[in-house]
Amino acid sequence: MKTLEMDNVTKIYHDGPKEFKAIDQASFGIEEGEFVAIVGPSGSGKSTLLSIAGALLTPTSGQIRIDDKDLASLSSKKITQLRLDKLGFIFQSANLIPYLKIKDQLGLIGKLGALSKKAAEKRAKDLLEHFGLSERLDHFPNELSGGQRQRVAVARALMNDPSIIFADEPTASLDSKRGLEVVEMLANEIKTRNKSGIMVTHDERVLHLCDRVITIKDGKLV
């Protein structure tokens, strides 16, 4: 089953009378249990494509379906709820909230979603233990290594049991060893939990962990 389908998606930015096609008629889909990498040079449109696929950015034209829901037919409130329920995000530098303890980083996502406080606390604890962070539950982000922070980010992305996980350059702030460990962990979670995963990356050393590699150049999938 396809969890995400994009058909002829275009994103145009205007600068006075000039227009720039950041994404040019992109079409692709992703299945359950599939881990896809998007690669391309800087400025090619990778992050824009990821933001559109993750319902963070509205395309100028084209159709996007997530779990068979056409995003164009949903209100902004329903799209926000869909992001909480169906999508998980991992960013370059973990993007943890500096004043929240590690367990509370995950608890906040559960609270925003449909979990009760008790259920959120249990799921956060179980996920952090699963990722080898049981002794760090009451630590703050600045007390963790870069690799540990990204493991928290992976756990946070799984908190509401999403259908699709989006990762934007998850190895950018890590050395090669730690970067490989994080992507191995991410690939394993996608397979064992039957999720879909889309990762934007410059790191060719992790591409062997993906099922498919999509190249984007000047906004076009090639």
Side-chain angles (χ1 to χ4, degrees):
M1 175 185 167
K2 279 191 170 64
T3 53
L4 169 72
E5 294 178 89
M6 296 179 67
D7 294 326
N8 293 317
V9 168
T10 295
K11 180 64 177 178
I12 298 173
Y13 291 105
H14 293 275
D15 182 12
K18 296 180 181 179
E19 68 175 34
F20 166 65
K21 282 187 179 180
I23 303 296
D24 191 357
Q25 294 187 314
S27 297
F28 78 96
I30 184 169
E31 306 273 350
E32 285 181 347
E34 189 178 24
F35 188 26
V36 174
I38 299 173
V39 301
S42 296
S44 59
K46 298 188 300 299
S47 291
T48 301
L49 185 66
L50 195 75
S51 294
I52 291 172
L56 295 168
L57 192 62
T58 303
T60 305
S61 62
Q63 188 179 47
I64 303 163
R65 290 183 297 277
I66 292 176
D67 280 355
D68 268 343
K69 289 187 175 69
D70 183 354
L71 297 194
S73 69
L74 302 180
S75 66
S76 58
K77 184 177 180 179
K78 286 187 176 180
I79 287 176
T80 298
Q81 194 60 48
L82 179 140
R83 279 198 300 266
L84 276 170
D85 295 341
K86 300 287 186 180
L87 312 180
F89 296 90
I90 302 164
F91 302 98
Q92 290 186 27
S93 56
N95 273 23
L96 302 180
I97 300 170
Y99 53 83
L100 284 184
K101 292 179 179 179
I102 299 311
K103 63 183 181 183
D104 297 327
Q105 306 277 343
L106 277 66
L108 176 61
I109 301 300
K111 182 179 177 181
L112 291 171
L115 295 177
S116 67
K117 183 179 179 182
K118 186 176 180 180
E121 287 175 352
K122 184 180 187 307
R123 181 158 177 81
K125 184 179 178 182
D126 289 347
L127 279 168
L128 291 168
E129 285 180 353
H130 175 70
F131 288 113
L133 294 162
S134 56
E135 296 180 359
R136 303 287 184 173
L137 300 181
D138 291 308
H139 286 62
F140 292 95
N142 65 354
E143 298 174 303
L144 273 59
S145 68
Q148 287 172 331
R149 286 194 292 271
Q150 279 298 60
R151 275 190 273 158
V152 174
V154 174
R156 182 180 60 183
L158 291 166
M159 184 64 190
N160 285 341
D161 196 25
S163 299
I164 311 171
I165 296 172
F166 297 89
D168 190 1
E169 299 280 7
T171 67
S173 61
L174 304 174
D175 60 44
S176 58
K177 181 183 177 184
R178 299 289 179 266
L180 183 61
E181 287 175 354
V182 165
V183 178
E184 283 177 339
M185 183 183 300
L186 179 57
N188 182 63
E189 295 302 317
I190 287 164
K191 296 299 179 185
T192 58
R193 297 175 188 266
N194 203 32
K195 306 298 181 187
S196 300
I198 304 175
M199 174 179 66
V200 161
T201 186
H202 279 101
D203 193 344
E204 295 183 356
R205 294 167 296 190
V206 301
L207 295 182
H208 67 284
L209 296 167
C210 301
D211 300 301
R212 191 155 46 107
V213 178
I214 297 171
T215 301
I216 186 169
K217 185 177 181 182
D218 297 329
K220 285 182 176 287
L221 302 185
V222 294

